[in-house]
Amino acid sequence: MSTSNNTVSSAKNIWPKLITFSFILLVIVIAVSLLPRGFSQDLSVIGQGTNAVVLVHDGNILQSTDTMIAMNAVRDDFEEHVAFIVADINTPEGKRFADSRGLGAAALAFFTANGDQLQVLYSEQTSESLRRHLNTIFDYNY
């Protein structure tokens, strides 16, 4: 008789653990889904039929980080029409890109769909100023 009582007791003890585990898993899934998406570092997209904005990023420069935050704030409104790319100056690819274009850290370069460089900004960008520049440079209305 004690064996069946142990089986029933262990079945009852597993439910609180299973519910707790499920709750923790649900919280983790929700938290991960709320994390900001990263930016593409694929510079080969430039000139492939989509307008592009490239930030020459250096994590040691506050202006660069602030501009990246502004890019993230406007990305959802423009991502169907503009590729947002980060060229990390501390990587060989990012350094090569910046050097070949004569761009310094924190530069924000705008490219047409065919790869022509339209404009380069070095001033710190807010989401409002970046939205204004995107609308003006690419003739959008977002």
Side-chain angles (χ1 to χ4, degrees):
M1 196 76 163
S2 69
T3 308
S4 69
N5 282 342
N6 286 343
T7 305
V8 171
S9 178
S10 0
K12 287 182 182 178
N13 287 340
I14 196 155
W15 282 109
K17 292 176 184 175
L18 186 60
I19 291 170
T20 302
F21 175 75
S22 298
F23 178 74
I24 291 170
L25 186 62
L26 179 64
V27 168
I28 290 171
V29 167
I30 290 171
V32 167
S33 71
L34 294 175
L35 289 174
R37 296 173 292 163
F39 286 98
S40 172
Q41 294 186 5
D42 183 6
L43 295 164
S44 69
V45 172
I46 298 169
Q48 299 300 313
T50 303
N51 292 330
V53 176
V54 180
L55 172 64
V56 179
H57 180 63
D58 184 343
N60 298 315
I61 299 176
L62 184 59
Q63 175 184 341
S64 181
T65 303
D66 288 345
T67 300
M68 185 179 285
I69 291 169
M71 284 173 58
N72 197 43
V74 302
R75 177 171 35 178
D76 288 342
D77 294 335
F78 291 92
E79 70 183 342
E80 288 184 33
H81 307 286
V82 178
F84 290 93
I85 305 167
V86 171
D88 188 339
I89 201 144
N90 296 310
T91 65
E93 298 83 18
K95 178 87 170 117
R96 193 172 23 254
F97 173 81
D99 290 347
S100 70
R101 300 273 182 172
L103 302 171
L108 190 62
F110 297 79
F111 294 90
T112 64
N114 65 2
D116 294 332
Q117 186 173 309
L118 293 174
Q119 188 171 355
V120 178
L121 303 173
Y122 280 98
S123 59
E124 180 178 328
Q125 297 300 309
T126 63
S127 59
E128 294 82 22
S129 65
L130 181 55
R131 181 179 304 279
R132 193 171 44 254
H133 286 298
L134 287 164
N135 283 324
T136 301
I137 293 169
F138 294 127
D139 198 28
Y140 295 140
N141 190 24
Y142 296 105

